[in-house]
Amino acid sequence: MADILVYALHDDEGNFNKNSLGAISEAAKLASETGGAASAVVVGDVSDDAAAALGKYGATKVYRAKACPEGLAQPIVDVMAKVITDNGIGYALFGGGLLGFEIGAGLTARLGAGVTMEVTAVKAADGKLVAERPVLQDSAIVDVGYVSEPGIIIGRLNAFDVAESGAGTAEVEDVEVELSEWSTKATMVTRGEARGEDVNIEDADILVGGGRGLGEKDNFKLAEDLAGSLGGAVAATRAVVDAGWYPYSTQIGQTGKTVAPKLYLAVGISGAIQHKVGMQSSENILAINKDQNAPIFEFCDLGVVGDLHKIMPKLTEAIKAKKGG
Amino acid sequence: MGVAPGQFPPPFDPGAHVGSPTDPEDERLEAGIVIVGGGPAGLACANRVMQLLEGEPELTERLGEIPVAVLEKGKVCGAHNLSGANMVPSAMEKLFPDLDPGEWPVYQQVEKDAVYLLTKSRAIPLKPPPPNFRNHGNYVTSIAKLSRFLAERAEEAGAYLLTETVADKLLIEDRIVRGVRSGDKGRGKDGGQLGNFEPGSDLMAKATVLAEGTLGHLTDCAVDYYDLAGDAKRWEIGVKEVWEVPKPLDRVIHTMNWPLRKSSKYNEFGGSFIYPMGEDKLCIGIVAGLDTTDATFSCHDLLQQLKTHPFIRDLLDGGKRVGWGAKTIPSGGYWSMPRKLAVPGMVMCGDNVSMVNVPYLKGIHLAMHAGMYAAEAIVESLKADPESVDFSAYEAKVRGSEIEKDLYRSRNVRQYGDKGFVAFGAIANAWLLSGGALPPGHKESEPDAEVPVHLGPAADDYPEPDNELTFDKLGSVFLSGNATRDDAPNHVRIQTHVPREVAQTWVSMCPAQVYEIPEDQLDNGAAEVDVHVTASNCVQCGAINAKGGRLTMPEGGDGPLYQEV
Amino acid sequence: MKICCLVKEVPDAAVQKRLDPATKRLDRSGEKTLNQFDTHGIEAAMQIREGGAVEVDEIVAVTMGPDSAQRALHKAVALGADRSVHLSDDALAGSDVCATGYALAKVLESESPDLVLLGQQSDDGECYTIGAVVADHLKMPSLTQVIEMDVAGEKLRCERQAEYGYDTVEIQLPAVISVGDAINEPRYPSLKAIMGAKKKPLDSKATGDVGIESDKVGEAGSQTQVLAINPPPEKQAGEVFEDEDTNETVEKIVAWLDERKLI
């Protein structure tokens, strides 16, 4: 039997991060399998209602440290270490995202705990948890067990789905935590500043990847329109970046970025391995290419052999309609 | 009719890579003996020098803080080495007399040899195997492994291995070689300086050894400068794969004929090799001349086609490809060696001066022996006079040795490769039966680029890659470990607007898909087309040097990272 | 100011990697190279030194690893570090993140740095954690994924892209900063620096030299263990069809997207 504590990150307006909610949902599921309880920890000025509402996702209890600032890891390490130790909690679970890594790592040191990162799945066995994570460019999955408790599990982005399973509201318990001397040595000057320029394609849920099959630079507009309709971003192959059709910051592949979005829509991309290694972990791969022998058709989830110039505009319209309606 | 690629020479000036140092005197670096090339020749030389210096404390001191420096353009020594190979043990025995062959970086000693004549469906054994294919007593090795082994020992012995370092320019003053200048780093695709640009440095040396291998960059510039050229250099191209296989191979295999075409019209000289690599691996490759006439001839694809033969398929059954690479083999042989192998301040050893016996497929031990002779001659000379630049004793040693004998014996064979399979067979027989006395005289070599090419049907027979048995070029380049940055400076020198046949020759010849004809010009029927170069794909095999282009030195550290090819 | 740069030797990215079925850990034989992200750390240190805002007395490269890790130290020194420290001991073999972070913290303690820099991740799968683990042991503030950093007196002003956008954080020295690759463009070492690297001081330390308790490191001290290595879940072969009637094709795609809750 093991209790699981999940860190729930929120923004300055009190909205909880999707990955945190996913982690709570996952914790609830696992807790029921281990016979323990799932709880959440929040810091900063979180209203009673907002905290209790985490019960919707399966948290039976929410620990709240009002005096602890949100957004920087080390004060939260102090909070979680105390909660874990005081309550004999077996595992700390984090949804994908930078803070999860920093807090999880700090807890590793503080509690002398084992940590697994980039976790894609967690399973329960004999009241204990085993974390699964991909290695070697996703060519193998390792099962990692914990020698002692507590164990720290840091999920990959989008690894845990949000599920409203809970009975209703969670019990909110306020905790007072003395912050470590060094936890107050970092101060947030500006938090979460949006900058117009390059969308970080590594964080996008949906990507439309454009390749040479687009034909010319101007045709990237087709990709942009399609991405827009899906609420995603545009990525590119080495060949088109080489040709100057799209910026290097969007290049995916062996010498570019590695991404694992929920949907990768490859248009006019042959699927050479130099590109494949950068996007093969995408949850869903849809390919449109006029060459039926293109390698991409060997590893996509849905492939359309056809003229992207004909298909893409119609697809964009259809998606807009579907969403609007 | 056909067009000869040689009519479109590359924009390249060898004179630009030979000259005075650039850096002010107090900024120049110094080493005792500088060896350009971290392959078998260069590393045998480095090891031998360090062995000799053990008994020469005075000379060692005079050589300075860095008595021996080896410059290697690959990430590590061995990263750019590729060969068959069946190695004659004599050089390893001489270099490491106290080392048991059990500790050599080899897979096994050759027990059984077999030669097959392939037709489309059959594999006819030739019994007994012709003498030049008999390898009993030799060792199957990978020179990528061999170089790593030699490098480790050289370093332990005190040599400095400067990897990821290219030697771009030969430093010459008063016609004496005084060292080399290393290549720049941090240039962009068009040669401009990027934010982290780092210029090369002048490295001065008491003696310079050029052991650059088949690319022979500085060697060719030096031969041009000192006017030492022998017959035209020529090359074969080899494309090779390593496979993990469940059924161990029990023999060294060479094949002839299929899928190369017999007719002298196509001039397809070469054959395949399949060697066991221990119990669980084997390597398979094709070697083909670069003087072929069909512009669509592609050695990589020919290898893919070879694998579809039932005999070969069976050998690979249940296996998995784990390695791939390509490299040229200098095939000019004896007459293509420069007229002198030593000039004041410098000596040259190995593939860069054609020390390869192609009919016997042997060159590793020759390279190593040459490297050792270089070491001995240089140490002898500097010991007697530390300011000496006369290393001509090296030439004497080589000419009086097994290297000379070996190369001389095969001096007139390869040149007859253009006679077609049957006629060549007869000539080869005469050669073997006469112990090398025949064919007589001095048969001149024609440069590969002078051979006219035309668009032929070779590509019609190449299989579509199925990613299990057969593979495309780009995926293969990935397997070579090539992860060169996309904005690496373009080191390939070719004319970029040429007749279609020439462009197609380059496209097909290159195993790494460096050259492409733009899609909209593929079928437009124009006589001349543009050629697009993706230099970052290049695995630095050197084929373009044979066919009317020129590979200049890329940035150090770029290119493949061969493990065991 | 004294800067310690943590560096790590990792298998070269171009080498086909495999897991050792016996130990169930990454087979670390084969080519190794200095972790590319750590070169950004060294470059950051060099830029602080060359920037002139603060005087940097020493840049020390520190690594934990077997004998071959010395190559990474030579590279670090060729890039500008003044000397290096090699923590090496059989007792450390098989250390997981918890054990490694502890060991590195102890060796760093013995150096008393004002600033510890390292790359935020490495090619062998570890990411975003070692810096924070080390910092907690050292009782120093820490930040990861930093892509911009300015020194002003006893403070650093750092920027990083977090969940909601760019954070600007002020952090007091001494501190541990893990940098992202966007922070700078690492320089190439000059040939002179490469040739001189072996001459720079390299101190080898064993666990006893820096007070590492052996039951907290190595296999024995690791709190995680790899239970199994499995191939990735079989991906169902996807459906591939030809676009004959584009309207129908588009309908089909939209239905597929809808089914997977992608729109």
Side-chain angles (χ1 to χ4, degrees), chain B residues 65 148 196 198 481 555 563, chain C residues 12 14 31 185-186 188 190 199:
Chain B
E65 267 184 40
R148 283 170 170 82
N196 57 355
E198 176 72 35
E555 189 176 275
Q563 297 290 302
Chain C
D12 193 300
E31 244 73 68
E185 186 84 62
Y188 288 98
S190 68
K199 302 239 159 52

Side-chain angles (χ1 to χ4, degrees), chain C residues 134-156:
Chain C
V134 165
D136 199 79
H137 283 297
L138 292 176
K139 302 191 180 2
M140 289 184 190
S142 142
L143 216 54
T144 54
Q145 296 198 21
V146 171
I147 51 169
E148 201 156 331
M149 184 171 66
D150 292 303
V151 191
E154 290 294 307
K155 286 206 231 181
L156 293 174

Side-chain angles (χ1 to χ4, degrees), chain B residues 528-553:
Chain B
E528 291 197 350
V529 295
D530 294 316
V531 180
H532 177 80
V533 173
T534 308
S536 55
N537 281 352
C538 181
V539 294
Q540 300 177 31
C541 75
I544 192 63
N545 286 340
K547 287 303 234 185
R550 183 67 182 230
L551 213 59
T552 61
M553 287 294 96

Side-chain angles (χ1 to χ4, degrees), chain B residues 323-541:
Chain B
W324 175 95
K327 191 112 186 195
T328 51
I329 306 174
S331 56
Y334 189 79
W335 303 118
S336 293
M337 290 168 70
R339 293 183 297 105
K340 287 212 208 128
L341 297 171
V343 299
M346 188 260 280
V347 301
M348 303 176 277
C349 23
D351 278 19
N352 46 326
V353 285
S354 301
M355 290 181 181
V356 182
N357 185 339
V358 164
Y360 273 79
L361 286 178
K362 296 288 176 296
I364 300 172
H365 72 296
L366 299 178
M368 289 176 70
H369 280 297
M372 288 189 262
Y373 289 135
E376 283 154 20
I378 291 172
V379 168
E380 268 163 37
S381 181
L382 291 178
K383 194 170 141 176
D385 170 14
E387 302 307 310
S388 171
V389 291
D390 177 11
F391 307 122
S392 51
Y394 163 70
E395 177 113 37
K397 285 182 203 278
V398 170
R399 295 297 182 184
S401 76
E402 64 276 90
I403 301 174
E404 167 84 7
K405 276 200 233 55
D406 208 312
L407 294 172
Y408 186 77
R409 187 171 41 158
S410 297
R411 70 201 177 288
N412 284 329
V413 180
R414 176 64 184 88
Q415 295 87 313
Y416 290 100
D418 58 357
K419 298 286 174 247
F421 183 74
V422 175
F424 178 77
I427 295 170
N429 269 330
W431 161 60
L432 288 168
L433 289 171
S434 69
L438 297 177
H442 171 157
K443 178 80 172 127
E444 269 212 45
S445 266
E446 293 277 312
D448 298 315
E450 296 304 316
V451 174
V453 294
H454 58 270
L455 295 162
D460 295 346
D461 295 327
Y462 299 149
E464 276 291 325
D466 65 10
N467 279 318
E468 279 189 27
L469 180 68
T470 57
F471 302 89
D472 70 359
K473 286 179 177 178
L474 269 192
S476 304
V477 168
F478 184 82
L479 198 56
S480 76
N482 186 357
T484 305
R485 64 181 166 96
D486 300 315
D487 57 350
N490 182 354
H491 61 294
V492 177
R493 301 281 170 270
I494 51 164
Q495 286 194 28
T496 51
H497 188 81
V498 291
R500 188 180 290 276
E501 299 90 329
V502 175
Q504 186 59 53
T505 300
W506 293 338
V507 169
S508 304
M509 156 206 89
C510 177
Q513 208 167 299
V514 168
Y515 310 95
E516 282 180 297
I517 298 170
E519 218 176 303
D520 56 343
Q521 294 180 38
L522 277 175
D523 299 311
N524 68 355
E528 291 197 350
V529 295
D530 294 316
V531 180
H532 177 80
V533 173
T534 308
S536 55
N537 281 352
C538 181
V539 294
Q540 300 177 31
C541 75

